[in-house]
């Protein structure tokens, strides 16, 4: 009944055992718990796990591929996933937050005068000036680091990399933030240059690696998403990215609006429906023969099977549904869909847990522990 979900896929050169991917999800769990969590997901049948927000430059905030300890951490994640027959992909990212500009808010955050919700828009205000003023030498250092980090990720055991097309790639792509007047700003081709150079660096360092690109799309009427690629500009960006070495696209709504737009709850006015961002996949489909991964509000096996069977998308990435039930894929494969714990898109313990710094969990975990 779910033949397509359960069938293998050549995802830009990497063979996945089925069509189910764990979407990049920063979990905020202690490092020892993270490997066990991914192992559980792989054992539950997910073909590939994308590790969210792996920094491309040496970083003191969280694990870094460049330090001995950080490298060992990422290797432990890869080993855990491989031990259950899964594949693992590193989401390579560069933040677009201006660290120096952030410093002035630290006292307010520490004294709780500024909440995390209030901090976000304050940081967003700094993105435009930061991107617009970034020196070209710094740009070259960052784009080259995508290649170096990809090489380290593969050494640590990762099977694939995803270039995070939101964050710095996304803010360079967007006219909302990018007001540069040099070769990195102005026309859509120029605004694509940063992302294209990042992908090219990965390709130069690793000629054969499959490169996924998280293509963050923003829309007008109504306006959603501030970073990323405007719908009308996809015909410029997609061929340029593919030409640089991208082998698959992971398509979603662009960031830097409300987090609840990119991680929409069921009652969201625009993106409340199952498969809420698939309309962006339809646009990308017209522009490339590369495989396309859909993400966003996907929970229902029947709906997903239909999207895959019709060829609308080639695979699905899920974050919250696999948080709610890490054994989703296995239950689908075994015809036990009535046993699936369905994500109700309440955002209470997953996004809520992340925002409150208590780690990503699910309302079902609470019930289980009662
Ligand atoms: C707690 C949480 C953390 C996330 N962290 C990341 C991340 O690190 N990188 C990223 O690109 N997307 C991140 N996302 C977005 C997801 O990858 C996904 O696009 C979004 O949740 C919509 O899919 P869903 O409806 O299956 O949850 C996160 C989502 C959640 C819920
Ligand atoms: S708390 Fe659980 S059920 Fe609610 S949205 Fe998050 S993953 Fe889904």
């Amino acid at each position: 009944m779910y033949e397509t979900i359960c069938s293998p896929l050549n995802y830009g050169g990497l063979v996945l055992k089925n069509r189910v991917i764990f979407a990049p999800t920063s979990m905020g769990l202690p490092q020892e718990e993270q490997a066990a969590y991914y192992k559980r997901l792989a054992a539950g049948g997910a073909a590939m796990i994308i590790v969210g927000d792996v920094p491309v430059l040496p970083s003191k905030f969280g694990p870094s591929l460049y330090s001995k300890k950080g490298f060992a951490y990422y290797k432990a994640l890869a080993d855990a996933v491989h031990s259950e027959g899964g594949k693992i992909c590193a989401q390579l990212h560069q933040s677009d937050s201006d660290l120096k500009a952030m410093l002035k808010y630290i006292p307010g955050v520490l004294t709780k005068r500024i909440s995390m919700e209030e901090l976000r828009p304050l940081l967003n205000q700094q993105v435009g000036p930061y991107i617009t003023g970034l020196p070209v030498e710094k740009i070259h250092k960052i784009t080259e680091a995508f290649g170096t980090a990809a090489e380290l990720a593969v050494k640590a055991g990762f099977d694939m990399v995803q270039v995070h097309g939101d964050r710095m790639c996304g803010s360079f792509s967007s006219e909302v933030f990018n007001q540069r007047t040099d070769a990195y700003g102005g026309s859509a081709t120029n605004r694509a240059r940063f992302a294209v150079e990042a992908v090219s660096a990965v390709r130069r360092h690793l000629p054969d690696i499959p490169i996924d690109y998280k293509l963050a799309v923003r829309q007008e009427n109504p306006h959603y998403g501030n970073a990323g690629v405007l719908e009308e500009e996809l015909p410029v960006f997609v061929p340029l990215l593919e030409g640089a070495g991208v082998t698959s696209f992971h398509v979603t709504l662009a960031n830097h609006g409300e987090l609840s737009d990119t991680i929409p709850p069921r009652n969201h006015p625009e993106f409340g429906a199952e498969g809420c961002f698939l309309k962006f996949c339809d646009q990308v489909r017209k522009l490339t023969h590369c495989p396309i991964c859909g993400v966003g509000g996907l929970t229902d096996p029947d709906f997903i099977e239909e999207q895959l069977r019709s060829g609308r998308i080639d695979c699905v990435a899920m974050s919250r549904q696999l948080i709610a039930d890490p054994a989703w894929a296995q239950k689908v494969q075994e015809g036990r869909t009535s046993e699936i714990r369905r994500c109700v898109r309440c955002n209470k313990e997953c996004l809520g847990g992340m925002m409150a710094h208590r780690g990503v969990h699910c309302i079902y975990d609470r019930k289980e522990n009662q």
Side-chain angles (χ1 to χ4, degrees), residues 23-27 52-53 91 162 164 167 214 250 252 262-264 277 295-298 317-321 323 345 347 350-351 354 360:
T25 306
S26 298
M27 315 247 359
D53 284 354
Q91 181 186 54
Q162 179 186 78
H164 197 332
R167 307 298 179 99
K214 175 159 172 168
H250 178 115
T252 186
T262 44
I263 309 172
F277 303 139
V295 65
L298 291 161
M318 297 180 243
S319 173
R320 289 169 295 174
Q321 177 53 64
I323 293 170
R345 294 173 67 187
N347 281 355
C350 49
L351 183 57
M354 184 176 85
V360 169

Side-chain angles (χ1 to χ4, degrees), residues 320 323-324 343-350 361-364:
R320 289 169 295 174
I323 293 170
C343 170
V344 294
R345 294 173 67 187
C346 62
N347 281 355
K348 281 186 183 158
E349 292 296 325
C350 49
H361 297 280
C362 177
I363 47 168
Y364 289 111

Side-chain angles (χ1 to χ4, degrees), residues 200-227:
S200 305
V202 178
R203 184 49 76 232
R204 250 193 341 272
H205 280 252
L206 297 163
D208 300 320
I209 187 105
I211 307 176
D212 197 27
Y213 189 82
K214 175 159 172 168
L215 183 54
V217 184
R218 63 191 187 90
Q219 69 167 52
E220 297 295 354
N221 304 316
H223 172 91
Y224 279 105
N226 287 315

Side-chain angles (χ1 to χ4, degrees), residues 122-163:
L122 291 172
L123 294 181
N124 282 349
Q125 281 169 19
Q126 312 291 336
V127 172
Y130 181 52
I131 292 304
T132 304
L134 205 64
V136 170
E137 312 79 69
K138 185 81 197 278
I139 293 178
H140 289 161
K141 189 176 165 206
I142 296 169
T143 52
E144 183 55 25
F146 274 85
T148 317
E151 215 174 315
L152 286 170
V154 168
K155 277 198 188 121
F158 283 79
D159 303 288
M160 179 173 196
V161 295
Q162 179 186 78
V163 171

